[in-house]
Amino acid sequence: MKPDLFLLIVTAVFMSCTKVPQISGELKVWHKVTLTFEGPESSETASPNPFTDYRLEVNFSQGEKSFVVPGYFAADGNAAFTSATEGNRWRVHFSPDAPGQWDYKVSFKEGNDVAVGGEEGESAGYMDGQTGSFEVVESDKTGRDLRAQGRLRYVGEHYLQFSQSGKYFVKNGVDAPENLLAYFEFDDTPNVGNRLKKWEDHDQDYNEDASPYLWGADRQKGKNIMGAINYLYQKGLNAFSFLTFNVDGDDRNVFPHLLNVSLEEYEKSAGERKKPSEWENHIIHDRFDVSKMDQWEQLFSYGEMKGMYLHFKTQENENDQKMDGGDLGRERKLYYRELIARYSHHLALNWNLGEENTNTLQQLNDFARYFAEKDPYKNISVVHTFPNEHEKYYQPLVDSMTAVKGFSVQTNKPDFSRVHRVTNKWVKASAVSGRKLVVAVDEPGDAGHSLLPDNEDPDHDTARINALWGTLMAGGSGVEWYFGYKHAHSDLTCESWRSRDLFWDQCHVAHSFFTDHDLPLSQMMNINELTSNPEDYVLAKRGEVYLVYLKEKGAVQLELPDVGYKAIWLNPKNGEQVEVDGETTTEAVNLETPFDKDALLYLYK
C-alpha cells in the first residue's frame, strides 16, 4: 500500500472515531461560546487524575490573532443540574472579541501532572489535533449588560477600559460578605459556625431574567442569591467580591476542592478550630468539585448579564501559606489553572492574589506572572495587604515592572480619614513611576465598623465624604464597601445588602456623575493645592474641566488659567444639581455652595 494512501485511511478512521464538539452559547461577540468534547471517561476521584494528568487547551484564532484557552473536566457536561461527579465531557469557554470566522485547534495531552508541569505530554487521543471553525456575529445586547460594553482591559491608565464602548470603568460595589459563596444551595458547601447563607431577604428581588441561570435537578435553585445580585443592579451598583478559598480563615466554608471526609466531619473539626495540622488535610488540593464550580459559574454568568465586576479573592491571610508552603508550586498552579479555565472568559474581573496578604514579594510576582501567562484574556492581578504594610508591598511593586496591575487598598480608621491620602499617594506614585496602576479602595474604614447599617447611621456622612468621594477625587478607580464585624450584617454574617440601602443611593449619585458626564478620566489628576482650602478635593484636567469637592458648606476659591467655564453644583447626598448662571468671566473663581453640607462644583467648557 502506498504511504500516502495509508495516511489517508488512518486519517479517515481517526476522523470517524472523533466527534466534533458540541458548540453552545450565543455565537456573538463578547458572549460565552462553549465547546464540549467527548473524551475519556473519568471522575473526580479517578486515576489517572482528570485535573492533573490531562491537559486540554484550544487555540482560537482569527488571522494573526489567537487565544490559547485552557479547558477542564466537566463530568457529564450538566453537573450544575445533575451534581454529577463522573462522565466523559471536557469543556472550554471562549469569549470572542470580533465578528467573523473563528478557527480552533485542539490540544489534548496526558501524562503525570501534565496540566501543571512543563512537559509536553503524550497525545491523549480523542479530540487531540482536531480543528474546526464557527461564525460569530455582533452582540445584540444593550444597556448595562457587559456584553454590550466588551471586555475590561488594562490600557496603562488608572482605570480599566471597556473594549467595545471605550468607556472607562468606575467601580461601585460591595466587598462584603467575603463568604458570599457559602450559600446553602451550592453543592457540598459546609456550614461551619452556622454561617451558611440563605439570602432570604432578597427573595423579593428575584427577577425572571435569572431563570436561565438557576441550577439543580429542577432548575429552581439559586433564586435568593440571584435576587441579591439583581438588588445590586437595581441600586446602581456594579461589583461584588468573594473568596474562593477560605479554609482555615474566618469563615472556612468556601473552597472548590474535594474533601476526603464527610461534610459533617469537616464541619466538626474546622468548627472546633483544632490545630490546622489536625484537619487541614481534609482538603484534597488536586481534586475539584465539578458541580459546585459549575454552580458558581451560574451565579457569575448572571452577574455579567447584570453588569457586575467579579472580584475574585483567591485566598486570605490565614491560608496564604497552605498551598505549596506559600510558593507557586503544583497545588497553587492547579488551583489557578482551574479558576482560569472556568471563569477567565468573564468580561469584568480581577484576580486578587490574597486578602491581607503575607506572601513574599517574590511569591506575589510569581503568582501574578502565572496569571498573566495562563489567562488568555489578561485580566489583571491586584495586591491587597494590611494597612500598616502598604510601604512594604506597594512601594516595591510601584518601583519595578511586574505583572501586578493594581492595588486593592485597605485602610484602618473608623472615620475613613486615611482613604483620600492613601489613595492619592499610590495613584501618584505609580504615575510618577511611568506605570500607572489601577488603585481601588476595597476595604475603607476599619475592621470593627466601616460602613454601618442604615439603622445605625442613616446619613452616612463620613463614609460619603471621606471614603466615597475621597477615593474618586484622588483618582482611585472605585470603591467596594466592607461591613464591620461589630455590627449586624457584617463581613461574615451579611445576608441582606438592603441593610445599607440608603447609602447605595448616595453611591449611585457619585457613580452616575462620573459616568454620565463624559469626563476625560484618564487625563485628570488630583490637584488639591489649586484651592485656598487645604481640606478641599480637586480632580482636574487643566484648562478643560475641574471638579472641586467641599467637605462642608463654604465657598470655592481658585485661580483658573482662562475664562468661559460653565458651573454646576451637585449635592453628593441626594443628587440635586444647581446650575450657576452664565460663565466665568475672570480667572479668579469665588463661588458659594448652595447646600448645607458637602458639595461638588463642576467647572467645564
Side-chain angles (χ1 to χ4, degrees), residues 288-346:
F288 296 97
D289 189 319
V290 173
S291 64
K292 183 196 295 186
M293 296 191 80
D294 272 8
Q295 291 160 3
W296 289 359
E297 168 63 8
Q298 297 295 96
L299 177 67
F300 301 154
S301 294
Y302 183 60
E304 180 170 272
M305 190 263 280
K306 304 300 282 190
M308 297 294 154
Y309 183 94
L310 306 175
H311 183 160
F312 284 80
K313 294 188 283 191
T314 59
Q315 61 180 4
E316 60 181 324
N317 165 255
E318 294 88 350
N319 62 35
D320 59 20
Q321 307 299 309
K322 297 300 180 190
M323 298 182 200
D324 309 302
D327 288 333
L328 179 65
R330 176 180 183 271
E331 294 174 345
R332 189 178 298 274
K333 286 181 179 179
L334 189 63
Y335 169 57
Y336 287 169
R337 187 188 190 279
E338 197 73 9
L339 293 179
I340 292 167
R342 287 176 168 273
Y343 309 129
S344 66
H345 62 87
H346 287 293

Side-chain angles (χ1 to χ4, degrees), residues 358-376:
T358 63
N359 292 100
T360 67
L361 280 166
Q362 183 60 58
Q363 288 170 337
L364 290 174
N365 284 324
D366 290 344
F367 303 165
R369 185 169 59 252
Y370 187 83
F371 273 114
E373 291 172 354
K374 300 300 181 182
D375 181 346

Side-chain angles (χ1 to χ4, degrees), residues 53 86 120 135 144 175 245 281 323 327 347 439 466 523 556 594 598:
D53 298 339
E86 59 185 25
E120 173 61 25
E135 290 286 332
R144 289 172 58 191
D175 185 63
F245 181 70
N281 290 333
M323 298 182 200
D327 288 333
L347 299 174
V439 181
N466 293 338
Q523 302 169 57
V556 169
D598 51 319

Side-chain angles (χ1 to χ4, degrees), residues 47-280:
S47 181
N49 184 332
F51 306 104
T52 61
D53 298 339
Y54 291 98
R55 185 183 67 236
L56 172 62
E57 293 176 332
V58 178
N59 187 316
F60 295 92
S61 62
Q62 187 183 71
E64 298 298 316
K65 176 170 52 181
S66 67
F67 297 84
V68 178
V69 182
Y72 61 93
F73 171 61
D76 68 350
N78 287 295
F81 313 105
T82 64
S83 297
T85 62
E86 59 185 25
N88 70 341
R89 296 300 192 270
W90 301 74
R91 181 165 285 163
V92 171
H93 300 303
F94 176 55
S95 174
D97 64 355
Q101 178 176 305
W102 282 90
D103 302 317
Y104 66 85
K105 183 173 182 179
V106 184
S107 171
F108 188 47
K109 306 300 181 184
E110 63 181 348
N112 183 50
D113 279 351
V114 71
V116 293
E119 301 299 322
E120 173 61 25
E122 302 292 330
S123 173
Y126 296 92
M127 55 281 195
D128 186 44
Q130 190 176 104
T131 60
S133 63
F134 52 88
E135 290 286 332
V136 169
V137 299
E138 293 284 4
S139 176
D140 58 351
K141 301 301 183 285
T142 59
R144 289 172 58 191
D145 189 320
L146 294 178
R147 294 168 295 184
Q149 304 295 326
R151 180 173 302 284
L152 273 183
R153 301 177 302 152
Y154 173 75
V155 293
E157 300 293 346
H158 295 305
Y159 303 87
L160 299 175
Q161 185 179 39
F162 284 110
S163 301
Q164 184 75 27
S165 67
K167 296 179 179 178
Y168 288 102
F169 177 68
V170 178
K171 187 165 65 170
N172 175 33
V174 290
D175 185 63
E178 66 177 37
N179 55 348
L180 173 70
L181 298 181
Y183 180 62
F184 80 114
E185 290 182 312
F186 287 139
D187 281 356
D188 295 323
T189 300
N191 191 20
V192 177
N194 199 32
R195 286 185 287 270
L196 205 58
K197 301 184 184 303
K198 292 188 176 180
W199 291 98
E200 290 175 327
D201 183 52
H202 287 298
D203 171 69
Q204 63 188 294
D205 301 304
Y206 174 75
N207 189 293
E208 282 301 320
D209 65 358
S211 61
Y213 303 95
L214 302 179
W215 64 86
D218 59 358
R219 300 187 183 230
Q220 292 297 304
K221 290 185 176 181
K223 285 188 174 182
N224 290 356
I225 198 168
M226 296 298 189
I229 301 305
N230 188 52
Y231 170 80
L232 297 182
Y233 170 82
Q234 291 173 328
K235 299 303 292 187
L237 302 180
N238 65 9
F240 61 90
S241 71
F242 44 87
L243 281 162
T244 51
F245 181 70
N246 68 17
V247 170
D248 201 27
D250 295 323
D251 174 68
R252 307 187 292 285
N253 288 307
V254 178
F255 44 86
H257 308 86
L258 293 187
L259 293 170
N260 60 15
V261 295
S262 68
L263 279 181
E264 292 76 14
E265 186 174 349
Y266 172 81
E267 288 169 354
K268 184 175 185 296
S269 58
E272 291 174 354
R273 290 306 292 261
K274 296 179 179 180
K275 293 179 180 179
S277 60
E278 296 181 29
W279 62 271
E280 66 181 3

